Each structure stands twice: as structure tokens, then as C-alpha cells.
């Protein structure tokens, strides 16, 4: 960018750039611990205080549930998990115990939730991400108990850049998307909730931007996700450059041809979805069939805010609607991916010391086998009802034996195309043996990076280690793709890196056959592929693999880009 105001560095999510005024997310009201409980605008009677607290928890849970019902995809998923937190009887029981011991109502709520915050923080890993949701629930309950304004996003009167210390899913669900240009936070990581939701919504996003909340409401800023930069009080040249870039990138959407390299090597470009409503929206927005289907249907969204497991009939209805939306196009259905940061009231083990390494994903079958059995039965019924052939895969598979057991169960249920997620280094290292048991694999680069680099993927300050360009991560992706090529079986990528146009060239060069991403990422990936031959993709992949660092790997790839692609993407 050309010279202008001061710059604040951050970690970019996506690749867009926008100009707009800052809209600061409202901080929680400063409510003292001894503030009285309020009923109908007046202090509550002593014998009514406990009921005010009970009603506050219920109201917060109901509000979050309503927002989850209106949301879709990852936002619905994380909101569903927050609903479970708000309605967890342990929180209310803790608050009641504090009241019984003589604590004022606000202090009681804070103490009860605080114990869970301390516990989740000490557990680290994916559970630490739930702290943002716990704090959000606590602050909303406190506000309702004390009759204070609810924290969150202010009413937006003009298109704005939403700036927050951190953004809970409930805050994101309250956004008027017609007036949100971008999201900027001081905390969070590139694969955390805010980043995932921003990607789903197609919004430029910056996380880990120190000092962002010190900006005043209405301050003009440029948010450049590709550069990882927030420019304060931009110059006229800055603004003109952003506008010019937007005009050039708008041309991406004009190309609706099937995904392929410039010399005709096919690459399936697919959309990530979380619900049947997502599938219907993607299909409706895709009359020209600009995507080849869905490479990741996150079925856990149906489970997350349920207190009991959805019935086979409920699941069948949801899967039938999703499959019908895409018709004869490919739909890859991921079986239940719960545990860790996506707890289930009826399945998650309560005493895991390290949930990220515990009973999650396919491993839930060890303790709750009926969940997988019901899900496979429902998928088979949906396939029969629609006359389609869904692809089904399980997450967190680590061994060929697990792959074999999944394939046996799925085929016995009548499902023909069976695969597994490669998210664990062990699965990548033994991809050849795993592919002998299943029909395809799909690489989840977010978790693969986390487990390869021994780094919590939700810790923003460790974002450099979680970079999908890390050589060790690329080595594992390459090993998996090579195994697929040797076996003559498809290898997809449905992690965050699939939507990076430059990384897409590397993945295709390594032998990846499909890329699944947010719908808004598809045009840029298609454009980039169509500017390069298959042999150039191989050359780019080899250059990236030869690099000694993530920064060098990306730089090596960029130097080999077509000139027009480099101008738009580098």
C-alpha cells in the first residue's frame, strides 16, 4: 500500500481489502458485585432474587438458541455449543450455591461461571477457546440480572468495520451483515471461531491486532486481510488502491467453468456446508454449477444444541434435504465431529484432561457406538430417498484398523463411497495403508497443522507455527497425496488452505484432486488454477516443498505465479 496513516499489524483471514469507519463492540457494563437483582426495572424482592438469576440464565440460553436457529454453517455450529454452555445446569447450580452461601446475585453468577473459566483455561487446547463463550454468557447473564444494557455489537447505521477485543459467536450472530465490511479483533487465531465465521460470511478479517480497540468509533481504516494489516486514517491513494483491487477481483466471479488448470486437468471445486439450509443456499446461488458439490458437510451442527441424540428420522430428513439440494453433484458427508471444543450433552466425556487428544470424532464410537450406527442408517435412508450416492467420511481416524472398521460399518449400512479425514500425522504417514481400506481421503489442514506442530490452533500468538505453509505440514500433505496417486484414489483438502488461491496450486501440484472451501473463496481459486498448467502446479509444489520455512515456502510459490495472478494474489 502507498503511504498513509499508521499501520497496525495482525494475522489476516481471507484475502479481501475494504475501507470503512470503525464500529467498536460494546464492552460489558461495569456492574458491581453487590448490585441488586432487578425485576421489571426495580430491585427484586429478597425472596425473588434466586428466580431472577434462574430467569436470566434461561433468557440468555433462549436468545442464543434463537440466534443459532437463524444461523447456518460454522456460525450455527459454534452458537449451538454456546447454547449448551448457557443452559448447563452446573452453572446455575453453582450460582444457586453461591446465593445460598449469602453472595449477592451478580457476585454469585460471576463466581459460578468463573470456576468454569479457570478450569477451561487450565485445560488449554481447544477447550480454552470456550472461555470466550463462557465470558459472553457470564456478561449477558449479569446484565440481565442487574437490568444493565447487554454487551455486544452496536446498531450499525452505515457499513462499518467491526472492531472488538474478541468476538463471541453470539456477538457475531447479532451482526447486521448488510452493514459489516470487515471484522478486526485483538485476540483470537486464524482458525478460531471469529476467523471461521468471517470466512463463511465472506468478510475480510484480521485477528491479533494489538491496539485495535484503542481506536475511536468512526475512525476511517483500511482492512487488508491479504497483507495482514490495518491502516488508520488512510490516504486517498490507499482508498483508490482498495477500490481498484476490488474491481479487478470482481472479474473472478464472471468465470463459471468447471475447476481445471489451463491445460484441462480437472480439479473439483466444492463448498463447505453445515446444514441442509446451507446446501439449499449454495445450490440456489449456484445455478450455473460453479461448484461441483460439497466436499464437507459438517453434520454435527444437527447435534450441538440437542440434549438427546437426534433420532434416525430427524437425521434422515436433514440429510435428505441436503442431498436433494445438490442433485447429482458430489456431497461428502462427515460423520459426527464432536468432543474437544464441540461438546455434546449426551455423549462427551466430562472428565477428559486433554479433550483435543481424547474421545472426539470417530473415537466417540468407542463409547457411544449407537451414534455412528444411527447416523449411517440415516445417511443410507437419505441416499435411497434421493437416488444419490453420498460420500461418507469420518474425522480423527488414526490407523488403518479404524479405517477398516468404518468402511465395514458404512458398507454394511448400504453406503458405497467411504473415506476418512486425514487430520492426525499417523494417518498421513500411513496413508497408503489407510487407502487400501477406503475409497478416498480428505485432508483437514487445520487440525493436521495443530497436531503436527504440537500447537493449539486457537492460540493466536502461535499463528506462525500453525501456518499451512509450514514445511512439516506440507510434507504430510504431500505424502498423503502421493499415496492417493499411487492407489488411484481421490485425495481432497477441506481445511482452511483449500481456499488460498496460491496454496491451491501447490495442492494440485502435489496430486490433490478436490478442494472444498467457503463458497466465496471459489472464484479466486478457479481463476488462479485456470492461469496455470498442471506442470506449472507441480513446479510450484516442488519449490514450496524445498523451502526451509513457511515464509520461504509461500515466497517460492509466488515467484512462479503467472504475472496476472501474481499481481492480484501475491
Amino acid at each position: 500500500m502507498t503511504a498513509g496513516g499508521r499501520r497496525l499489524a495482525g494475522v489476516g483471514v481471507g484475502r479481501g481489502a475494504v475501507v470503512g469507519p470503525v464500529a467498536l463492540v460494546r464492552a460489558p457494563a461495569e456492574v458491581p458485585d453487590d448490585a441488586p437483582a432487578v425485576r421489571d426495572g426495580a430491585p427484586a424482592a429478597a425472596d425473588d432474587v434466586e428466580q431472577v438469576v434462574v430467569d436470566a440464565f434461561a433468557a440468555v440460553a433462549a436468545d442464543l438458541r434463537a440466534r443459532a436457529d437463524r444461523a447456518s454453517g460454522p456460525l450455527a455450529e459454534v452458537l449451538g455449543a454456546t447454547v449448551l454452555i448457557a443452559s448447563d445446569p452446573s452453572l446455575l447450580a453453582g450460582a444457586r450455591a453461591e446465593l445460598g452461601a449469602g453472595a449477592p446475585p451478580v457476585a454469585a453468577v460471576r463466581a459460578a461461571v468463573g470456576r468454569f473459566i479457570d478450569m477451561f483455561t487450565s485445560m488449554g487446547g481447544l477447550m480454552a477457546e470456550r472461555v470466550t463463550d463462557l465470558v459472553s454468557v457470564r456478561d449477558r447473564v449479569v446484565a440481565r440480572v442487574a437490568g444493565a444494557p447487554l454487551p455486544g455489537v452496536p446498531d450499525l447505521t452505515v457499513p462499518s468495520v467491526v472492531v472488538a477485543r474478541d468476538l463471541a459467536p453470539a456477538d457475531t450472530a447479532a451482526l447486521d451483515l448488510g452493514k459489516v465490511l470487515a471484522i478486526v479483533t485483538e485476540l483470537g487465531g486464524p482458525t478460531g471461531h471469529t476467523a471461521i465465521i468471517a470466512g463463511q460470511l465472506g468478510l475480510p478479517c484480521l485477528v491479533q491486532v494489538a491496539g485495535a480497540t484503542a481506536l475511536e468509533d468512526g475512525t476511517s481504516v483500511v482492512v487488508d486481510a491479504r497483507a495482514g494489516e490495518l491502516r488508520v486514517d488512510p490516504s486517498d491513494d490507499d482508498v483508490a488502491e482498495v477500490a481498484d483491487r476490488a474491481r479487478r477481483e470482481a472479474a473472478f466471479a464472471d468465470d463459471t467453468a468447471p475447476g481445471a488448470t489451463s491445460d484441462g486437468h480437472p480439479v473439483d471445486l466444492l463448498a463447505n456446508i453445515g446444514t441442509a439450509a446451507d446446501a439449499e443456499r449454495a445450490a440456489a446461488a449456484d445455478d450455473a454449477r460453479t461448484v461441483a458439490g460439497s466436499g464437507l458437510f459438517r453434520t454435527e451442527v444437527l447435534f450441538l444444541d440437542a440434549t438427546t441424540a437426534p433420532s434416525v428420522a430427524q437425521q434422515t430428513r436433514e440429510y435428505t434435504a441436503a442431498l436433494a439440494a445438490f442433485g447429482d453433484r458430489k456431497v461428502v458427508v462427515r460423520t459426527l465431529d464432536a468432543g474437544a471444543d464441540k461438546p455434546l450433552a449426551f455423549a462427551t466425556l466430562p472428565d477428559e484432561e486433554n479433550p483435543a487428544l481424547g474421545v472426539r470424532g470417530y473415537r466417540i464410537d468407542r463409547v457411544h457406538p449407537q451414534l455412528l450406527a444411527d447416523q449411517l442408517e440415516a445417511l443410507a435412508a437419505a441416499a435411497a430417498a434421493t437416488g444419490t450416492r453420498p460420500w461418507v467420511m469420518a474425522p480423527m481416524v488414526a490407523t488403518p484398523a479404524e479405517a477398516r472398521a468404518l468402511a465395514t460399518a458404512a458398507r454394511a449400512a448400504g453406503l458405497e463411497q467411504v473415506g476418512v479425514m486425514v487430520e492426525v500425522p499417523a494417518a498421513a504417514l500411513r496413508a497408503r495403508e489407510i487407502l487400501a481400506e477406503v475409497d478416498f481421503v480428505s485432508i483437514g489442514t487445520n487440525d493436521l497443522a495443530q497436531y503436527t506442530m504440537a500447537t493449539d490452533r486457537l492460540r493466536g500468538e502461535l499463528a506462525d507455527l500453525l501456518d499451512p505453509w509450514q514445511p512439516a505440514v506440507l510434507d504430510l500433505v504431500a505424502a498423503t497425496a502421493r499415496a492417493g496417486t499411487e492407489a488411484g484414489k481421490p485425495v481432497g483438502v477441506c481445511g482452511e488452505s483449500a481456499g488460498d488461491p496460491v496454496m491451491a496450486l501447490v495442492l494440485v501440484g502435489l496430486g490433490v484432486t478436490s478442494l472444498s472451501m467457503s463458497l466465496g473463496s471459489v472464484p479466486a481459486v478457479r481463476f488462479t488454477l485456470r492461469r496455470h498448467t498442471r506442470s506449472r502446479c507441480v513446479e510450484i509444489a516442488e519449490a514450496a516443498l524445498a523451502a526451509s520455512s513457511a515464509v520461504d515456502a509461500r515466497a517460492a510459490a509466488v515467484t512462479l505465479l503467472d504475472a496476472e495472478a501474481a499481481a492480484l494474489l501475491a
Side-chain angles (χ1 to χ4, degrees), residues 390-417:
W391 298 34
V392 59
M393 64 181 180
M396 286 296 291
V397 168
T399 68
E402 289 179 331
R404 184 184 314 119
L406 170 72
T408 299
R411 289 167 182 153
L415 297 163
E416 301 174 15
Q417 295 291 318

Side-chain angles (χ1 to χ4, degrees), residues 38-352:
V38 172
R39 171 79 75 186
D40 298 327
D47 60 357
D48 192 32
V49 168
E50 181 175 323
Q51 191 60 46
V52 169
V53 173
V54 171
D55 292 346
F57 272 101
V60 169
D63 177 59
L64 292 171
R65 186 173 293 107
R67 296 183 188 205
D69 290 343
R70 294 193 298 269
S72 62
L75 178 54
E77 176 183 326
V78 295
L79 272 173
T82 310
V83 170
L84 288 178
I85 289 174
S87 55
D88 188 331
S90 299
L91 290 181
L92 182 55
R96 279 175 154 158
E98 292 288 335
L99 289 170
V106 169
V109 171
R110 286 175 172 156
V113 181
R115 282 193 290 274
F116 281 84
I117 290 174
D118 292 342
M119 179 178 66
F120 281 27
T121 300
S122 67
M123 291 169 72
L126 293 176
M127 290 304 290
E129 175 69 11
R130 310 299 334 156
V131 169
T132 297
D133 302 335
L134 278 164
V135 170
S136 176
V137 168
R138 179 199 65 195
D139 293 343
R140 289 167 184 275
V141 172
V142 165
R144 287 186 177 275
V145 167
L150 291 174
V153 181
D155 290 334
L156 302 179
T157 57
V158 296
S160 304
V161 174
V162 174
V163 177
R165 179 163 173 76
D166 203 358
L167 205 60
D171 296 323
T172 310
L175 295 173
D176 178 355
L177 297 180
K179 292 188 174 70
V180 179
L181 297 173
I183 297 174
V184 176
T185 65
E186 290 188 333
L187 302 179
T191 57
H193 288 162
T194 299
I196 291 172
I197 292 166
Q200 177 203 357
L201 300 176
L203 297 172
C205 178
L206 292 174
V207 297
Q208 290 287 305
V209 184
T213 58
L215 298 173
E216 294 184 3
D217 267 316
T219 301
S220 179
V221 295
V222 166
V223 177
D224 189 341
R226 190 176 74 188
E229 178 181 277
L230 182 73
R231 175 69 64 84
V232 183
D233 295 325
S235 68
D236 290 343
D237 286 346
D238 290 332
V239 174
E241 184 177 338
V242 170
D244 180 61
R245 193 164 120 190
R247 281 193 297 270
R248 287 183 292 160
E249 293 187 1
F252 293 165
D254 294 337
D255 187 353
T256 59
T261 58
S262 62
D263 54 344
H265 175 76
V267 182
D268 279 347
L269 301 183
L270 306 162
N272 294 339
I273 62 172
T275 63
D278 285 350
E280 290 161 359
R281 276 188 288 272
D286 187 39
D287 293 337
R289 295 200 168 210
T290 58
V291 294
S294 174
L296 178 61
F297 178 8
R298 301 181 179 94
T299 58
E300 59 271 10
V301 175
L302 181 62
F303 292 74
L304 283 175
D305 62 352
T307 55
T308 58
S311 67
V312 171
Q314 287 175 296
Q315 293 185 61
T316 299
R317 286 193 295 273
E318 183 80 3
Y319 306 151
T320 298
L323 295 177
F326 281 110
D328 59 356
R329 282 180 280 181
K330 176 180 179 180
V331 177
V332 182
V333 182
R334 183 176 70 186
T335 59
L336 183 60
D337 187 16
D341 65 329
K342 291 177 281 190
L344 293 180
F346 50 86
T348 302
L349 301 184
D351 56 351
E352 288 189 301

Side-chain angles (χ1 to χ4, degrees), residues 336-369:
L336 183 60
D337 187 16
D341 65 329
K342 291 177 281 190
L344 293 180
F346 50 86
T348 302
L349 301 184
D351 56 351
E352 288 189 301
E353 293 185 2
N354 194 337
L357 301 179
V359 180
R360 58 171 297 203
Y362 177 68
R363 299 171 182 182
I364 291 177
D365 188 59
R366 296 175 181 235
V367 291
H368 297 288

